[in-house]
Amino acid sequence: MFGVVVWLGGLMFQSAVAMPIIQQESDHVKTAQRLVNKRFIGFVWMSVWTILITGVIMMVHQGHFYGFQYNDRWSILLGFKQLIFVLMIFYAFGYARMLKYLDAPSSNGGFNEKAELYRHRVNQFRTISILLGIVALLLSAAM
């Protein structure tokens, strides 16, 4: 749960605090925000590995786990939690990829012309990741 909370907390901070301020500031501040986003990706991957390793250990040592058979309430919740984890990984890769696109130089020597689209995608991926993180926490609590 710690890994999900770190990941979720960082995403929520960016969405609720940092992004509304950054959107109204100069390009210099937006450059700083890109650097913060790049630094946050390291915390995302740290959280992913923490979630994966502790999740596998807890799953294997749990008395309810009998392979990947989903025949009782606990194993069904586990299956949904595994699906949510895979989706979170998918959106984390997308988030990191969009941040790279934001920093990519364009053909005219400036920043990429599609930067607004990439910023929109980063915000979408962040929002979807927040929702998935909340669902993961609820599933953990239900187990």
Side-chain angles (χ1 to χ4, degrees):
M1 288 180 73
F2 176 74
V4 174
V5 169
V6 167
W7 191 349
L8 191 57
L11 290 171
M12 291 177 89
F13 174 80
Q14 288 179 344
S15 292
V17 177
M19 290 312 296
I21 293 170
I22 297 298
Q23 290 172 349
Q24 298 178 8
E25 294 296 327
S26 68
D27 288 338
H28 179 68
V29 176
K30 290 180 182 179
T31 301
Q33 179 62 26
R34 279 197 302 272
L35 294 172
V36 169
N37 285 339
K38 285 171 62 174
R39 176 78 174 153
F40 180 67
I41 290 296
F43 283 96
V44 168
W45 296 128
M46 178 187 66
S47 296
V48 165
W49 285 109
T50 302
I51 294 166
L52 179 65
I53 292 168
T54 59
V56 168
I57 290 170
M58 291 174 63
M59 179 178 67
V60 170
H61 284 74
Q62 182 60 255
H64 298 284
F65 182 70
Y66 302 107
F68 292 96
Q69 300 174 7
Y70 304 106
N71 51 12
D72 64 352
R73 180 179 162 268
W74 185 89
S75 60
I76 291 169
L77 290 172
L78 175 66
F80 281 121
K81 202 167 138 185
Q82 292 166 340
L83 176 64
I84 294 295
F85 178 75
V86 169
L87 289 172
M88 288 174 77
I89 297 297
F90 173 77
Y91 283 105
F93 273 114
Y95 184 79
R97 189 171 161 209
M98 288 299 120
L99 291 177
K100 282 184 184 179
Y101 287 151
L102 277 173
D103 288 337
S106 69
S107 57
N108 63 9
F111 280 107
N112 202 318
E113 304 89 24
K114 296 182 181 180
E116 191 59 38
L117 173 65
Y118 297 146
R119 269 194 282 286
H120 179 69
R121 291 280 185 225
V122 165
N123 289 336
Q124 281 182 330
F125 285 14
R126 185 182 302 121
T127 302
I128 292 169
S129 294
I130 288 170
L131 294 173
L132 290 171
I134 290 170
V135 171
L137 287 175
L138 291 173
L139 287 171
S140 293
M143 292 177 77

